[in-house]
Amino acid sequence: GPAQAEWSAPPGWQVLETRYARILYRAPETLARFQQSIQYGSGWWASSSALSDLDHEKIQVIARMKVDAIYERVQQILDMKKKMPPIRIWVYGDKQALEKAFRRIYGRDCPFRAWYEFKTNAVSINAMDCHEGMLAHEIAHGIIDHYLEVRPPRNTAEILARYVDSHLK
């Protein structure tokens, strides 16, 4: 609804809008590292870790293309295509920042390398420790939870998300 449109990132966070997502990050280096970690796509930009001298604008373009390509592939694998609210992808600079966020949100130590939260339709991931399969897995949780009228049992959703992860390429 309208509340979704009025949402804005907390202070200190930059937002990169894509067709399906809002990528949130604090520092340009974080986005650069994230985009390098995600090796996916069919264009010149797919394995752009080779292109290390990109400016921030080009990095944003590539990050946008990779995330959208993965999102569309996940929808295709699951055969779950419909209009959904944009998924938020919180990209943390390192493991400490990711774990600190988890503790702040859930009040306990973080047992995950990345996670998806239904309530906020958000993926949290660490730019220093991620890859395309991991991102696809977390995005799959968002698509599954928003596609089905009733959210499936956690184990069922996990099986589907793992299936996506293993069939990405």
Side-chain angles (χ1 to χ4, degrees), residues 1-157:
Q4 188 100 26
E6 290 159 23
W7 183 87
S8 63
W13 288 85
Q14 302 190 53
V15 184
L16 178 61
E17 300 269 350
T18 84
R19 282 170 65 191
Y20 308 104
R22 291 184 175 134
I23 305 169
L24 296 111
Y25 60 98
R26 286 181 183 274
E29 311 85 73
T30 302
L31 187 70
R33 177 61 66 109
F34 171 72
Q35 112 24 57
Q36 281 178 353
S37 302
I38 307 300
Q39 301 286 314
Y40 187 79
S42 54
W44 57 272
W45 43 270
S47 59
S48 51
S49 57
L51 316 168
S52 53
D53 57 344
L54 295 173
D55 60 35
H56 187 58
E57 224 164 288
K58 280 207 188 75
I59 287 166
Q60 287 182 317
V61 168
I62 294 167
R64 192 181 280 129
M65 289 194 286
K66 286 181 178 180
V67 165
D68 283 348
I70 287 174
Y71 191 99
E72 286 175 357
R73 178 71 181 126
V74 172
Q75 283 190 316
Q76 184 188 8
I77 293 167
L78 292 168
D79 192 19
M80 293 184 177
K81 294 187 179 89
K82 74 175 185 190
K83 186 94 181 90
M84 299 183 191
I87 190 166
R88 288 180 202 146
I89 302 170
W90 295 89
V91 182
Y92 290 92
D94 56 31
K95 188 173 192 260
Q96 288 74 19
L98 182 81
E99 290 180 346
K100 192 174 150 192
F102 189 92
R103 254 193 312 278
R104 193 186 65 244
I105 299 164
Y106 301 105
R108 59 189 174 92
D109 286 346
C110 177
F112 307 115
R113 288 168 68 192
W115 73 89
Y116 170 77
E117 183 185 61
F118 175 72
K119 195 173 72 210
T120 56
N121 191 27
V123 169
S124 294
I125 203 160
N126 164 12
M128 305 289 278
D129 174 32
C130 67
H131 56 75
E132 54 285 354
M134 192 189 289
L135 181 62
H137 179 105
E138 300 307 337
I139 287 173
H141 280 294
I143 290 172
I144 291 159
D145 282 357
H146 284 87
Y147 183 83
L148 301 169
E149 296 297 316
V150 177
R151 282 170 69 199
R154 190 180 298 144
N155 289 347
T156 307

